[in-house]
Amino acid sequence: MLRDISQDPTTARTLQGAGHVEIQNISRRGFLGVSGKAFALALFPAPVQAFTRFKVRGSSMPQGLREDPLLFVSLTADGLVTVIVHRSEMGQGIRTSFAMVIADELGADWTQMRVRQAPGDEPKYGNQDTDGSRSMRHHIQALRYMGAAMRQMLINAAAAEWGVDASQVSAGVNEIKSASRSATFGELAAGAMQQPVPRFEDLTFKTEEQFRYIGKGSILAIDLDDIVTGKAVYGADVALAGMKYAVIARPPVIGAKVLSYDSEAALEVPGVERILMIPVNDLPIGFAPLGGIAVIAAHTDAAIKGRDALVINWGDSRHDGYDS
Amino acid sequence: MVKITINEKSLDLAGQADTNLLWAIRDLAGLPGTKFGCGTGLCGSCTVHVDGVAVRSCLATLEEVEGKAVTTIEGLSDDGQHPLQVAWRQLGVPQCGYCQVGQIMQAASLLSENPRPSDSEILESMSGNICRRGCYERIVAAVRLASTGA
């Protein structure tokens, strides 16, 4: 690590994208002007703490923010590290970046990383709103904590198994070692998952210079292979046993209500099974459903044709006078 | 029931002669790799091959493809190593990826009839495939890479 710093002191800047990061070595910036050697020496006496705890605004969002490594990260005997991603992927790369942070802080190789999408379950996973470009800002600290905690749990598992003090054990890339022994993450996975979860204050965090993935621009989207083979699952691709398909005839002007409708022709469309009215809410609609008439069918095309065959008598809306 | 051939498999689909091909592929054949974008032939995300030629599946019916060979992304390559898929990976083309299946199917059709397209021919062929993320430069570069290796 010290060698890395002296080779390239210009990389010793504050963590980008980490929000209100307080760097314990607060005068880092001042070191940039001096030689790399002096910089390394100056750092040497104190243990390097990459960042100290900062207030994360995500914790005040509804259902808050969870940072339990046993909830979000699992190590398995096959050497894989599986990260549960509880925010939505929309091309911003959150599934990839969550895994990158865990990989770097844990010390896993990128080839070991897998992601799984969490279901919608805020009491379990914390706030799942994916908006405001803030999933990473809100989670960088939690992710680093969980990665570092899991690394320490691997160290503690190895120490227990080898009958030595944890201070005699260190972690490398997919490797835990002492002076005389070493083991892969996979070999220690079961033991590590049984260890008590360490507190933030008791952990050592990586420095930016030790990162292999964060900020390096070298990692491609973790879903790339699935995307180019058509296997990536988007919301509309989810298929459940016995699932039906629905298409909704919406009000032509927001706020217009259904006065009457004739569904006879729609029900004659092959594949159409049922017609349901969804009440139109009063204005302002806000986040409430728009309402309309839903056509439920065996497949989407039948539902679309059924919707087109509906005869609906819509009421007035106070927005009727507007034109696009 | 309508009998059609998708990815070299003969399927009896529970649709009608006028059932839309895109929804038959997705809902009836259970092949969700082909995406719905606009439903009116304006975006290209639903592109499949009919007898090897790129077609907007949202504008076709089952009747129109009876007796023809429909190929979707799931059937483009057995091992996902079509030269375009290799190039797409190498250049990390997609962001969200939603339109990319259509992009790849359109490009595959282009390369099968013109293995060495010029940049302007690539642009002309790909101009009907819209990418909300604006990945166009990487798309063109990947088509070029797949066709020339550079």
Side-chain angles (χ1 to χ4, degrees):
Chain A
M1 173 202 67
L2 294 175
R3 189 175 60 244
D4 290 345
I5 292 170
S6 62
Q7 276 172 348
D8 188 9
T10 58
T11 59
R13 60 185 187 275
T14 55
L15 272 171
Q16 293 300 306
H20 304 89
V21 178
E22 285 176 40
I23 302 292
Q24 199 170 56
N25 303 296
I26 198 74
S27 55
R28 266 189 165 189
R29 194 176 296 257
F31 282 118
L32 293 180
V34 303
S35 77
K37 192 174 180 183
F39 181 57
L41 285 173
L43 275 177
F44 188 72
V48 176
Q49 185 80 354
F51 67 97
T52 51
R53 209 163 179 78
F54 55 91
K55 181 166 167 48
V56 177
R57 288 181 182 166
S59 56
S60 60
M61 292 179 78
Q63 304 286 350
L65 185 149
R66 301 286 312 275
E67 52 176 22
D68 177 0
L70 295 173
L71 178 63
F72 287 100
V73 186
S74 68
L75 306 176
T76 40
D78 53 11
L80 297 180
V81 179
T82 304
V83 179
I84 304 284
V85 177
H86 66 302
R87 292 296 176 98
S88 300
E89 178 63 59
M90 290 178 261
Q92 82 277 44
I94 200 65
R95 283 161 59 87
T96 305
S97 12
F98 268 39
M100 282 168 65
V101 178
I102 295 290
D104 261 345
E105 199 59 79
L106 175 62
D109 190 77
W110 186 245
T111 56
Q112 296 170 261
M113 301 307 296
R114 300 290 183 273
V115 293
R116 278 182 50 211
Q117 194 67 36
D121 188 348
E122 291 196 330
K124 183 171 181 181
Y125 297 105
N127 185 280
Q128 293 186 277
D129 290 357
T130 310
D131 55 27
S133 302
R134 54 192 172 177
S135 290
M136 184 49 70
R137 273 184 286 152
H138 283 178
H139 289 92
I140 176 88
Q141 175 171 253
L143 290 163
R144 292 191 62 182
Y145 163 68
M146 292 189 288
M150 202 56 94
R151 168 164 42 84
Q152 190 62 45
M153 289 155 74
L154 282 161
I155 289 172
N156 293 345
E161 196 178 312
W162 300 339
V164 298
D165 190 80
S167 63
Q168 305 301 307
V169 180
S170 63
V173 175
N174 190 28
E175 185 188 40
I176 302 293
K177 57 182 186 291
S178 69
S180 57
R181 301 187 66 165
S182 76
T184 64
F185 287 5
E187 287 163 351
L188 293 165
M193 297 292 285
Q194 300 299 319
Q195 291 291 319
V197 176
R199 296 183 310 161
F200 187 100
E201 293 72 23
D202 296 335
L203 292 170
T204 306
F205 291 89
K206 297 252 171 106
T207 62
E208 186 176 343
E209 292 75 22
Q210 292 173 303
F211 292 153
R212 302 170 71 220
Y213 307 119
I214 299 171
K216 307 299 184 208
S218 58
I219 296 297
L220 295 169
I222 203 161
D223 296 309
L224 182 57
D225 191 64
D226 285 341
I227 289 170
V228 302
T229 54
K231 292 185 187 120
V233 178
Y234 296 82
D237 300 334
V238 175
L240 303 173
M243 187 172 82
K244 304 295 179 188
Y245 297 82
V247 166
I248 303 170
R250 299 292 192 185
V253 177
I254 193 165
K257 302 199 178 205
V258 176
L259 300 180
S260 64
Y261 69 97
D262 180 350
S263 60
E264 195 182 332
L267 283 165
E268 281 172 13
V269 172
V272 170
E273 299 182 7
R274 216 174 150 191
I275 313 286
L276 285 177
M277 189 162 89
I278 304 173
V280 174
N281 285 288
D282 291 328
L283 294 169
I285 299 290
F287 288 106
L290 283 176
I293 297 177
V295 178
I296 298 162
H299 56 87
T300 307
D301 188 52
I304 291 171
K305 288 189 169 87
R307 178 196 57 190
D308 293 347
L310 286 170
V311 180
I312 306 169
N313 182 18
W314 295 99
D316 296 335
S317 162
R318 71 176 193 227
H319 294 308
D320 280 340
Y322 291 101
D323 198 331
S324 58
Chain B
M1 285 288 179
V2 180
K3 188 184 279 292
I4 67 163
T5 303
I6 304 180
N7 301 333
E8 300 180 344
K9 269 192 242 169
S10 179
L11 303 173
D12 288 310
L13 299 183
Q16 314 293 312
D18 70 344
T19 296
N20 179 274
L21 177 60
L22 166 63
W23 297 114
I25 288 170
R26 287 182 55 85
D27 299 350
L28 301 177
L31 296 169
T34 304
K35 303 303 180 201
F36 165 76
C38 67
T40 51
L42 297 171
C43 77
S45 70
C46 68
T47 303
V48 299
H49 296 174
V50 176
D51 287 344
V53 177
V55 163
R56 304 295 188 238
S57 63
C58 75
L59 297 180
T61 63
L62 288 182
E63 184 175 47
E64 288 163 1
V65 298
E66 253 185 313
K68 297 178 180 171
V70 176
T71 307
T72 69
I73 188 72
E74 290 89 347
L76 180 66
S77 155
D78 288 339
D79 56 2
Q81 298 296 324
H82 185 284
L84 284 162
Q85 291 169 317
V86 173
W88 243 251
R89 283 190 198 93
Q90 191 174 330
L91 298 182
V93 172
Q95 276 192 42
C96 82
Y98 192 80
C99 71
Q100 299 290 331
V101 160
Q103 305 274 2
I104 289 171
M105 295 306 285
Q106 178 70 29
S109 172
L110 166 67
L111 293 189
S112 70
E113 61 187 54
N114 180 2
R116 291 292 169 100
S118 65
D119 278 7
S120 65
E121 286 170 329
I122 294 173
L123 285 172
E124 189 184 344
S125 173
M126 302 302 297
S127 66
N129 288 72
I130 309 301
C131 174
R132 164 70 175 77
R133 307 279 166 175
C135 297
Y136 299 112
E137 292 199 7
R138 290 197 298 278
I139 289 168
V140 172
V143 177
R144 196 189 302 127
L145 177 63
S147 79
T148 66

